[in-house]
Amino acid sequence: MLNIVLFGPPGAGKGTQSHKLIEKYKLVHLSTGDILRSEIAAGTALGMEAKQLMDKGILVPDVVVIGMIRSKLEQNKNANGFIFDGFPRTEAQAKALDDLLNELKTSISVMLALKVDDEELIKRILHRGQDSGRADDTDALIIRKRIEEYNAKTAPLANYYNAQKKFVPVYGSGTVEEIFSKLCGEVEKINKQQ
Ligand code: AMP
């Protein structure tokens, strides 16, 4: 199985690149942000609770997102592999993901980490907010809060994956195609090793 953690701050291009990667490598895309937004759209209790936090740019509790990923992994046991987009975001989530994949007799192949400057992130998210319909994409203060949450709780995961020799930084500036081609270059290296 090819299991990729696509890592990076909000607005780094994880969603766009995930869609291109799943098409090319026939992987299952697991985005906790997308799953949460579909819970909100369906009006579930979980969605309503998560919305309160998401609208403020705060992470939802680990137990909620880990439960969502567990059920998606169970539903896709025969996949070629997975792209984790926006998950894990805390060390507890990263540990839980290792355990869940271990149960499926597989593991993370690589963490591809998109690097983009904060000011560029804010510009990109505000631009996306013009038609994404996301409340958390339209207010610069909330966007800054999301970046703060990322720097405090998520960025340290680079060390977690580095300790497993799985951390690969990729510079996220340039066109979508240029970045995609860099990501594919890294995936090809992994495919050769497997
Ligand atoms: P995203 O679409 O990945 O930018 O996520 C949007 C929002 O959903 C985040 O600001 C968090 O409030 C919540 N969220 C998404 N994924 C996670 C996660 N893995 N852990 C905690 N909160 C999450």
Side-chain angles (χ1 to χ4, degrees):
M1 265 185 164
L2 175 65
N3 299 313
I4 301 173
V5 172
L6 193 55
F7 190 71
K14 299 188 295 295
T16 308
Q17 296 296 339
S18 289
H19 285 111
K20 295 177 73 67
L21 288 165
I22 55 166
E23 205 171 290
K24 177 157 176 166
Y25 297 104
K26 308 290 173 233
L27 304 170
V28 173
H29 181 208
L30 296 183
S31 156
T32 40
D34 285 354
I35 303 169
L36 288 165
R37 282 184 289 278
S38 66
E39 294 281 336
I40 294 173
T44 64
L46 185 154
M48 293 305 103
E49 238 169 83
K51 185 175 176 353
Q52 307 295 321
L53 299 166
M54 291 165 74
D55 282 353
K56 295 190 188 108
I58 298 172
L59 294 186
V60 306
D62 288 334
V63 59
V64 172
V65 285
I66 292 168
M68 290 181 340
I69 290 288
R70 178 183 292 117
S71 70
K72 293 286 176 187
L73 290 176
E74 278 165 6
Q75 287 161 21
N76 292 283
K77 277 187 180 145
N78 298 321
N80 283 333
F82 297 94
I83 291 199
F84 298 94
D85 163 6
F87 180 91
R89 262 178 156 102
T90 64
E91 190 160 326
Q93 293 179 23
K95 286 187 177 147
L97 180 59
D98 279 351
D99 292 346
L100 289 170
L101 291 175
N102 201 17
E103 280 169 31
L104 296 179
K105 309 260 176 295
T106 185
S107 60
I108 290 298
S109 316
V110 67
M111 171 201 249
L112 298 173
L114 292 169
K115 302 267 175 198
V116 181
D117 291 343
D118 284 4
E119 292 313 310
E120 172 70 18
L121 293 174
I122 295 169
K123 221 167 60 188
R124 283 192 198 177
I125 298 176
L126 285 171
H127 187 256
R128 178 172 77 187
Q130 289 170 6
D131 45 32
S132 72
R134 286 178 53 174
D136 61 345
D137 276 353
T138 46
D139 180 329
L141 277 179
I142 294 175
I143 296 169
R144 281 195 193 276
K145 178 70 197 165
R146 288 164 64 196
I147 295 174
E148 244 176 67
E149 284 277 270
Y150 174 82
N151 287 332
K153 298 178 185 162
T154 307
L157 286 186
N159 296 331
Y160 181 88
Y161 287 94
N162 201 24
Q164 298 185 11
K165 309 231 176 318
K166 291 177 179 170
F167 172 75
V168 175
V170 173
Y171 289 90
S173 50
T175 65
V176 168
E177 287 308 324
E178 280 164 355
I179 299 160
F180 181 57
S181 136
K182 286 192 244 179
L183 292 172
C184 292
E186 297 301 336
V187 173
E188 300 303 335
K189 285 188 207 162
I190 302 292
N191 272 340
K192 276 193 199 134
Q193 287 163 20
Q194 282 190 339

